[in-house]
């Protein structure tokens, strides 16, 4: 399983840390804790390339310093995630009081250099250091789970609506809604876009940096089975929503062989778990 730690901004580009707690570096059985860097596809246009030099790190509490690994990668619209860099053997992390304190460990990334270029434009060089640090718990108890089903009986009447939202529902003391672009959005105009959103005034949830995992589904009404997509673990630091701009091709949604859309009825579902707060401990 991969955990998405947090999104952060630098020079108007959005990126996040990805943690893989059980990464196999080779054919051997040894497991490593690995980090990688991901950029938002929406921040790069087709044909653009971003060369980044950065340092991924884990905090050593015994000496108060970060143990880092310098890396570089060429990001593009269809190549948004860097290679996984092994930070520490998993067994060493679990046994160490230097890296793991009260079931918590700290990871960071430092951006050292960015070059953005495209075929039509001259390369733009950005040399600026920026560091983001995110605490991530390893294990917590008392998970909160929620499920909400949204039945849309007038899907075919949504031709003139760009964005549609479900009624608001409450899970874990916070208000949510499912958001949908029924005819696609700018990053994927031929796909149904689907996401889960917080109500705009829910500052407490954002500030506490809750860790969640989200599954969004659409029901095949002919078979009774759901087509589902599930996120990694997410640290919620914004209210822009979490989901997929390419959740399901519109051809499949509207295809007669499937039961995703019967007459004008469509059934969507959100299942998610709130694991706790990354600020705990």
């Amino acid at each position: 399983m991969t955990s998405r730690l947090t999104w952060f901004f630098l020079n108007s580009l959005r990126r996040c840390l990805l943690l893989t707690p059980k990464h196999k570096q080779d054919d051997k059985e040894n497991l490593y804790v690995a980090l990688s860097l991901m950029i938002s596809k929406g921040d790069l246009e087709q044909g653009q390339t971003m060369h980044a030099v950065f340092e991924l790190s884990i905090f050593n509490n015994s000496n108060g310093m970060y143990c880092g690994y310098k890396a570089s990668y060429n990001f593009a619209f269809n190549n948004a995630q860097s290679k996984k860099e092994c930070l520490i053997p998993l067994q060493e992390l679990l046994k160490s009081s230097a890296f793991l304190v009260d079931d918590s460990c700290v990871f960071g990334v430092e951006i050292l250099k960015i070059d953005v270029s495209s075929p039509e434009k001259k390369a733009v060089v950005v040399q600026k250091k920026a560091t983001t640090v995110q605490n991530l718990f390893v294990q917590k108890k008392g998970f909160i789970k929620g499920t909400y089903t949204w039945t849309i009986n007038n899907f075919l009447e949504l031709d003139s609506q760009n964005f549609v939202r479900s009624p608001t529902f409450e899970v874990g003391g916070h208000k949510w809604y499912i958001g949908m672009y029924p005819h696609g959005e700018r990053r994927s105009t031929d796909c149904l876009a689907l996401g889960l959103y917080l109500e705009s005034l829910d500052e407490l949830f954002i500030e506490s940096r809750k860790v969640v995992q989200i599954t969004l589904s659409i029901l095949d009404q002919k078979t009774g089975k759901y087509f589902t997509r599930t996120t990694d673990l997410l640290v919620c630091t914004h209210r822009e929503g979490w989901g997929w701009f390419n959740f399901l091709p519109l051809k499949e949604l509207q295809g007669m062989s499937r039961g995703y859309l019967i007459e004008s009825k469509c059934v969507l579902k959100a299942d998610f778990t709130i694991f706790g707060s990354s600020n705990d401990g």
Side-chain angles (χ1 to χ4, degrees):
M1 179 181 290
T2 300
S3 302
R4 183 173 299 176
L5 302 189
T6 183
W7 287 102
F8 61 97
F9 289 84
L10 175 63
N11 303 102
S12 74
L13 295 174
R14 194 163 65 112
R15 49 185 59 82
C16 73
L17 274 170
L18 294 176
L19 170 69
T20 306
K22 298 181 180 181
H23 174 63
K24 284 189 177 181
Q25 189 175 26
D26 47 39
D27 294 335
K28 299 179 180 179
E29 295 301 318
N30 296 329
L31 299 177
Y32 290 81
V33 176
L35 279 183
S36 56
L37 188 64
M38 174 183 281
I39 66 168
S40 170
K41 289 185 178 181
D43 292 333
L44 286 180
E45 298 176 1
Q46 290 281 3
Q48 277 190 327
T49 301
M50 184 185 76
H51 176 72
V53 181
F54 50 93
E55 187 171 44
L56 302 167
S57 58
I58 183 172
F59 186 67
N60 187 327
N61 290 275
S62 64
N63 57 21
M65 300 179 64
Y66 283 91
C67 302
Y69 291 81
K70 188 176 180 180
S72 63
Y73 197 72
N74 291 321
F75 295 94
F77 182 82
N78 293 321
N79 190 26
Q81 181 179 341
S82 71
K83 296 179 180 178
K84 296 175 182 177
E85 302 293 338
C86 294
L87 295 184
I88 186 173
L90 178 60
Q91 289 302 317
E92 181 179 338
L93 173 67
L94 296 177
K95 294 178 181 179
S96 174
S97 59
F99 299 104
L100 185 61
V101 178
D102 294 331
D103 276 349
S104 297
C105 48
V106 179
F107 301 94
V109 59
E110 183 176 7
I111 306 297
L112 303 176
K113 182 180 179 182
I114 298 176
D115 302 335
V116 181
S117 62
S118 66
E120 299 81 12
K121 300 178 182 179
K122 185 178 179 181
V124 178
V125 179
V126 181
Q127 290 183 303
K128 180 181 178 180
K129 290 188 175 183
T131 303
T132 185
V133 175
Q134 177 65 52
N135 297 320
L136 179 70
F137 65 83
V138 174
Q139 185 177 6
K140 294 292 181 185
K141 296 181 179 180
F143 299 162
I144 299 173
K145 293 188 177 183
T147 297
Y148 178 76
T149 300
W150 180 23
T151 300
I152 306 168
N153 292 311
N154 62 337
F155 188 92
L156 296 179
E157 299 174 15
L158 304 177
D159 290 341
S160 61
Q161 300 189 45
N162 179 46
F163 182 78
V164 183
R165 55 172 289 172
S166 73
T168 302
F169 59 96
E170 185 172 321
V171 172
H174 302 276
K175 295 181 179 180
W176 309 77
Y177 65 90
I178 299 173
M180 174 180 65
Y181 291 86
H183 309 291
E185 53 106 71
R186 63 180 181 83
R187 287 171 291 182
S188 188
T189 57
D190 59 350
C191 289
L192 175 73
L194 206 61
L196 183 68
Y197 298 79
L198 275 167
E199 278 293 315
S200 60
L201 297 180
D202 201 338
E203 298 285 350
L204 181 61
F205 194 92
I206 298 297
E207 292 175 358
S208 64
R209 297 183 183 272
K210 288 290 194 300
V211 179
V212 303
Q213 186 173 48
I214 297 165
T215 296
L216 296 178
S217 310
I218 184 169
L219 176 65
D220 186 329
Q221 299 169 63
K222 291 183 178 180
T223 65
K225 297 181 180 180
Y226 282 92
F227 169 78
T228 66
R229 300 188 70 169
T230 301
T231 67
D232 303 321
L233 295 182
L234 306 173
V235 177
C236 298
T237 58
H238 62 88
R239 61 176 61 85
E240 296 177 3
W242 304 271
W244 295 266
F245 59 83
N246 58 350
F247 180 81
L248 183 70
L250 293 177
K251 287 185 178 180
E252 290 190 33
L253 173 67
Q254 300 164 358
M256 298 297 294
S257 62
R258 299 295 186 101
Y260 299 133
L261 185 60
I262 294 184
E263 295 182 349
S264 194
K265 182 179 179 181
C266 180
V267 181
L268 305 174
K269 187 175 69 163
D271 296 280
F272 59 103
T273 302
I274 304 173
F275 288 90
S277 173
S278 64
N279 283 347
D280 290 350

